[in-house]
Short mmCIF file of all heavy atoms in Angstrom, two decimals:
data_model
loop_
_atom_site.label_atom_id
_atom_site.label_comp_id
_atom_site.label_asym_id
_atom_site.label_seq_id
_atom_site.Cartn_x
_atom_site.Cartn_y
_atom_site.Cartn_z
N ASP A 1 -18.34 9.30 -22.11
CA ASP A 1 -18.01 8.33 -21.06
C ASP A 1 -18.18 8.91 -19.65
O ASP A 1 -18.01 8.18 -18.67
CB ASP A 1 -16.57 7.84 -21.21
CG ASP A 1 -16.32 7.14 -22.53
OD1 ASP A 1 -17.27 6.54 -23.08
OD2 ASP A 1 -15.17 7.19 -23.01
N LEU A 2 -18.46 10.20 -19.57
CA LEU A 2 -18.59 10.87 -18.28
C LEU A 2 -20.04 11.25 -18.03
O LEU A 2 -20.54 12.20 -18.63
CB LEU A 2 -17.73 12.15 -18.27
CG LEU A 2 -16.23 11.97 -18.33
CD1 LEU A 2 -15.56 13.31 -18.54
CD2 LEU A 2 -15.72 11.30 -17.07
N PRO A 3 -20.73 10.54 -17.16
CA PRO A 3 -22.10 10.95 -16.82
C PRO A 3 -22.10 12.38 -16.29
O PRO A 3 -21.30 12.71 -15.40
CB PRO A 3 -22.53 9.95 -15.76
CG PRO A 3 -21.64 8.76 -15.96
CD PRO A 3 -20.33 9.33 -16.45
N LEU A 4 -22.96 13.21 -16.84
CA LEU A 4 -23.00 14.61 -16.44
C LEU A 4 -23.24 14.75 -14.94
O LEU A 4 -22.67 15.63 -14.29
CB LEU A 4 -24.06 15.38 -17.24
CG LEU A 4 -24.11 16.89 -17.00
CD1 LEU A 4 -22.77 17.54 -17.29
CD2 LEU A 4 -25.20 17.52 -17.84
N SER A 5 -24.03 13.87 -14.35
CA SER A 5 -24.29 13.95 -12.91
C SER A 5 -23.00 13.75 -12.11
O SER A 5 -22.79 14.41 -11.09
CB SER A 5 -25.33 12.91 -12.49
OG SER A 5 -24.89 11.60 -12.82
N ASP A 6 -22.11 12.89 -12.58
CA ASP A 6 -20.83 12.68 -11.91
C ASP A 6 -19.94 13.90 -12.03
O ASP A 6 -19.27 14.30 -11.07
CB ASP A 6 -20.09 11.47 -12.50
CG ASP A 6 -20.77 10.14 -12.22
OD1 ASP A 6 -21.77 10.12 -11.46
OD2 ASP A 6 -20.30 9.12 -12.74
N VAL A 7 -19.92 14.49 -13.21
CA VAL A 7 -19.11 15.69 -13.45
C VAL A 7 -19.62 16.84 -12.61
O VAL A 7 -18.84 17.55 -11.96
CB VAL A 7 -19.09 16.05 -14.95
CG1 VAL A 7 -18.34 17.35 -15.18
CG2 VAL A 7 -18.47 14.93 -15.77
N LEU A 8 -20.93 17.03 -12.58
CA LEU A 8 -21.52 18.11 -11.77
C LEU A 8 -21.19 17.92 -10.30
O LEU A 8 -20.88 18.89 -9.59
CB LEU A 8 -23.03 18.18 -11.99
CG LEU A 8 -23.46 18.73 -13.34
CD1 LEU A 8 -24.96 18.49 -13.56
CD2 LEU A 8 -23.14 20.22 -13.46
N ALA A 9 -21.25 16.69 -9.81
CA ALA A 9 -20.92 16.42 -8.40
C ALA A 9 -19.46 16.77 -8.11
O ALA A 9 -19.15 17.32 -7.04
CB ALA A 9 -21.20 14.96 -8.07
N LEU A 10 -18.55 16.49 -9.05
CA LEU A 10 -17.14 16.82 -8.86
C LEU A 10 -16.95 18.34 -8.84
O LEU A 10 -16.28 18.86 -7.95
CB LEU A 10 -16.30 16.19 -9.98
CG LEU A 10 -14.81 16.54 -9.98
CD1 LEU A 10 -14.13 16.11 -8.68
CD2 LEU A 10 -14.14 15.91 -11.19
N TYR A 11 -17.53 19.04 -9.80
CA TYR A 11 -17.39 20.50 -9.84
C TYR A 11 -18.01 21.13 -8.59
O TYR A 11 -17.49 22.11 -8.06
CB TYR A 11 -18.02 21.08 -11.11
CG TYR A 11 -17.11 21.02 -12.32
CD1 TYR A 11 -16.94 19.84 -13.04
CD2 TYR A 11 -16.43 22.14 -12.76
CE1 TYR A 11 -16.12 19.78 -14.14
CE2 TYR A 11 -15.61 22.10 -13.86
CZ TYR A 11 -15.45 20.91 -14.56
OH TYR A 11 -14.62 20.86 -15.65
N GLU A 12 -19.09 20.57 -8.12
CA GLU A 12 -19.72 21.07 -6.90
C GLU A 12 -18.82 20.81 -5.69
O GLU A 12 -18.69 21.67 -4.81
CB GLU A 12 -21.08 20.41 -6.69
CG GLU A 12 -21.92 21.09 -5.64
CD GLU A 12 -23.35 20.59 -5.66
OE1 GLU A 12 -24.05 20.86 -6.66
OE2 GLU A 12 -23.75 19.95 -4.67
N ALA A 13 -18.19 19.66 -5.64
CA ALA A 13 -17.31 19.31 -4.52
C ALA A 13 -16.14 20.28 -4.38
O ALA A 13 -15.68 20.55 -3.27
CB ALA A 13 -16.79 17.88 -4.67
N VAL A 14 -15.66 20.81 -5.51
CA VAL A 14 -14.55 21.77 -5.46
C VAL A 14 -15.05 23.21 -5.50
O VAL A 14 -14.26 24.15 -5.60
CB VAL A 14 -13.51 21.51 -6.59
CG1 VAL A 14 -12.89 20.14 -6.43
CG2 VAL A 14 -14.11 21.69 -7.96
N GLU A 15 -16.36 23.36 -5.46
CA GLU A 15 -17.04 24.67 -5.40
C GLU A 15 -16.79 25.53 -6.62
O GLU A 15 -16.67 26.75 -6.53
CB GLU A 15 -16.66 25.40 -4.11
CG GLU A 15 -17.09 24.66 -2.87
CD GLU A 15 -16.75 25.37 -1.56
OE1 GLU A 15 -16.15 26.47 -1.59
OE2 GLU A 15 -17.12 24.82 -0.51
N TRP A 16 -16.72 24.90 -7.78
CA TRP A 16 -16.66 25.64 -9.04
C TRP A 16 -18.09 25.80 -9.53
O TRP A 16 -18.51 25.19 -10.51
CB TRP A 16 -15.80 24.90 -10.06
CG TRP A 16 -14.33 24.96 -9.75
CD1 TRP A 16 -13.73 25.32 -8.58
CD2 TRP A 16 -13.27 24.63 -10.64
NE1 TRP A 16 -12.38 25.22 -8.68
CE2 TRP A 16 -12.06 24.80 -9.94
CE3 TRP A 16 -13.24 24.19 -11.95
CZ2 TRP A 16 -10.82 24.56 -10.52
CZ3 TRP A 16 -12.01 23.95 -12.52
CH2 TRP A 16 -10.81 24.14 -11.82
N LEU A 17 -18.83 26.62 -8.83
CA LEU A 17 -20.27 26.70 -9.03
C LEU A 17 -20.68 27.41 -10.32
O LEU A 17 -21.80 27.22 -10.79
CB LEU A 17 -20.91 27.36 -7.81
CG LEU A 17 -20.58 26.66 -6.47
CD1 LEU A 17 -21.24 27.39 -5.31
CD2 LEU A 17 -20.95 25.20 -6.50
N ALA A 18 -19.80 28.19 -10.91
CA ALA A 18 -20.13 28.82 -12.20
C ALA A 18 -20.41 27.74 -13.24
O ALA A 18 -21.23 27.94 -14.14
CB ALA A 18 -19.00 29.73 -12.66
N TYR A 19 -19.74 26.61 -13.12
CA TYR A 19 -19.95 25.50 -14.05
C TYR A 19 -21.25 24.76 -13.75
O TYR A 19 -21.93 24.30 -14.65
CB TYR A 19 -18.79 24.51 -13.98
CG TYR A 19 -17.50 25.01 -14.58
CD1 TYR A 19 -16.59 25.73 -13.81
CD2 TYR A 19 -17.19 24.75 -15.90
CE1 TYR A 19 -15.40 26.17 -14.36
CE2 TYR A 19 -16.00 25.18 -16.46
CZ TYR A 19 -15.11 25.90 -15.68
OH TYR A 19 -13.94 26.34 -16.23
N THR A 20 -21.57 24.61 -12.48
CA THR A 20 -22.74 23.82 -12.11
C THR A 20 -24.05 24.56 -12.33
O THR A 20 -25.09 23.93 -12.41
CB THR A 20 -22.65 23.36 -10.63
OG1 THR A 20 -22.63 24.51 -9.77
CG2 THR A 20 -21.41 22.52 -10.40
N LYS A 21 -23.97 25.87 -12.45
CA LYS A 21 -25.18 26.67 -12.69
C LYS A 21 -25.75 26.47 -14.08
O LYS A 21 -26.92 26.74 -14.32
CB LYS A 21 -24.89 28.16 -12.47
CG LYS A 21 -24.66 28.53 -11.04
CD LYS A 21 -24.34 30.00 -10.92
CE LYS A 21 -24.00 30.35 -9.49
NZ LYS A 21 -23.60 31.75 -9.33
N ASP A 22 -24.91 26.02 -15.01
CA ASP A 22 -25.34 25.85 -16.40
C ASP A 22 -24.83 24.51 -16.94
O ASP A 22 -23.84 24.45 -17.67
CB ASP A 22 -24.82 27.01 -17.24
CG ASP A 22 -25.40 27.03 -18.63
OD1 ASP A 22 -26.11 26.07 -19.03
OD2 ASP A 22 -25.13 28.01 -19.36
N PRO A 23 -25.50 23.41 -16.55
CA PRO A 23 -25.04 22.08 -16.95
C PRO A 23 -24.94 21.88 -18.47
O PRO A 23 -24.05 21.17 -18.93
CB PRO A 23 -26.09 21.14 -16.35
CG PRO A 23 -26.69 21.91 -15.22
CD PRO A 23 -26.66 23.34 -15.66
N ASP A 24 -25.82 22.52 -19.23
CA ASP A 24 -25.76 22.36 -20.69
C ASP A 24 -24.46 22.92 -21.25
O ASP A 24 -23.84 22.31 -22.13
CB ASP A 24 -26.96 23.04 -21.36
CG ASP A 24 -28.27 22.33 -21.07
OD1 ASP A 24 -28.24 21.11 -20.77
OD2 ASP A 24 -29.32 22.98 -21.14
N THR A 25 -24.04 24.08 -20.75
CA THR A 25 -22.79 24.67 -21.21
C THR A 25 -21.61 23.82 -20.78
O THR A 25 -20.66 23.62 -21.56
CB THR A 25 -22.64 26.10 -20.68
OG1 THR A 25 -23.71 26.90 -21.22
CG2 THR A 25 -21.31 26.72 -21.07
N LEU A 26 -21.65 23.28 -19.57
CA LEU A 26 -20.58 22.39 -19.12
C LEU A 26 -20.49 21.16 -20.02
O LEU A 26 -19.40 20.76 -20.43
CB LEU A 26 -20.79 21.97 -17.66
CG LEU A 26 -19.76 21.00 -17.09
CD1 LEU A 26 -18.33 21.52 -17.22
CD2 LEU A 26 -20.09 20.67 -15.64
N GLN A 27 -21.62 20.58 -20.38
CA GLN A 27 -21.63 19.41 -21.27
C GLN A 27 -21.02 19.76 -22.62
O GLN A 27 -20.22 19.01 -23.16
CB GLN A 27 -23.05 18.89 -21.44
CG GLN A 27 -23.14 17.63 -22.29
CD GLN A 27 -22.52 16.43 -21.61
OE1 GLN A 27 -22.77 16.17 -20.45
NE2 GLN A 27 -21.70 15.69 -22.33
N LYS A 28 -21.37 20.92 -23.16
CA LYS A 28 -20.80 21.35 -24.45
C LYS A 28 -19.29 21.56 -24.33
O LYS A 28 -18.53 21.25 -25.25
CB LYS A 28 -21.48 22.62 -24.93
CG LYS A 28 -22.90 22.40 -25.40
CD LYS A 28 -23.55 23.72 -25.78
CE LYS A 28 -25.01 23.51 -26.11
NZ LYS A 28 -25.73 24.78 -26.34
N ALA A 29 -18.86 22.12 -23.19
CA ALA A 29 -17.43 22.34 -22.97
C ALA A 29 -16.68 21.01 -22.93
O ALA A 29 -15.60 20.88 -23.52
CB ALA A 29 -17.22 23.12 -21.67
N LEU A 30 -17.25 20.03 -22.26
CA LEU A 30 -16.62 18.71 -22.22
C LEU A 30 -16.52 18.12 -23.62
O LEU A 30 -15.48 17.60 -24.02
CB LEU A 30 -17.41 17.77 -21.31
CG LEU A 30 -17.44 18.12 -19.82
CD1 LEU A 30 -18.44 17.25 -19.10
CD2 LEU A 30 -16.06 18.02 -19.20
N GLN A 31 -17.60 18.22 -24.38
CA GLN A 31 -17.62 17.67 -25.74
C GLN A 31 -16.64 18.38 -26.67
O GLN A 31 -16.09 17.77 -27.58
CB GLN A 31 -19.03 17.74 -26.31
CG GLN A 31 -20.00 16.81 -25.61
CD GLN A 31 -21.45 17.07 -25.97
OE1 GLN A 31 -21.80 18.10 -26.55
NE2 GLN A 31 -22.31 16.12 -25.62
N GLY A 32 -16.41 19.66 -26.42
CA GLY A 32 -15.50 20.44 -27.26
C GLY A 32 -14.04 20.37 -26.85
O GLY A 32 -13.18 20.95 -27.50
N SER A 33 -13.76 19.66 -25.78
CA SER A 33 -12.39 19.55 -25.29
C SER A 33 -11.56 18.65 -26.20
O SER A 33 -12.05 17.68 -26.75
CB SER A 33 -12.39 18.98 -23.87
OG SER A 33 -13.05 19.85 -22.99
N SER A 34 -10.29 18.97 -26.32
CA SER A 34 -9.37 18.15 -27.10
C SER A 34 -9.02 16.86 -26.36
O SER A 34 -8.89 15.81 -26.97
CB SER A 34 -8.08 18.92 -27.37
OG SER A 34 -8.36 20.14 -28.00
N THR A 35 -8.84 16.98 -25.05
CA THR A 35 -8.49 15.84 -24.22
C THR A 35 -9.20 15.95 -22.88
O THR A 35 -9.24 17.03 -22.28
CB THR A 35 -6.97 15.78 -23.98
OG1 THR A 35 -6.29 15.70 -25.23
CG2 THR A 35 -6.57 14.59 -23.13
#
């Protein structure tokens, strides 16, 4: 339900750039989350 582009924009806005450097890993992390 979360477009990756929206999530990347949010992480970029808070300057959590380690997440934005590897969008595939961020997507997997979201999918693997419990909540």
Side-chain angles (χ1 to χ4, degrees):
D1 299 331
L2 293 171
L4 185 57
S5 59
D6 292 354
V7 175
L8 288 168
L10 175 60
Y11 277 79
E12 193 169 293
V14 298
E15 298 181 359
W16 288 15
L17 304 179
Y19 288 88
T20 62
K21 289 178 185 176
D22 189 353
D24 291 335
T25 297
L26 178 55
Q27 183 68 47
K28 288 177 186 173
L30 295 170
Q31 292 169 345
S33 297
S34 305
T35 302

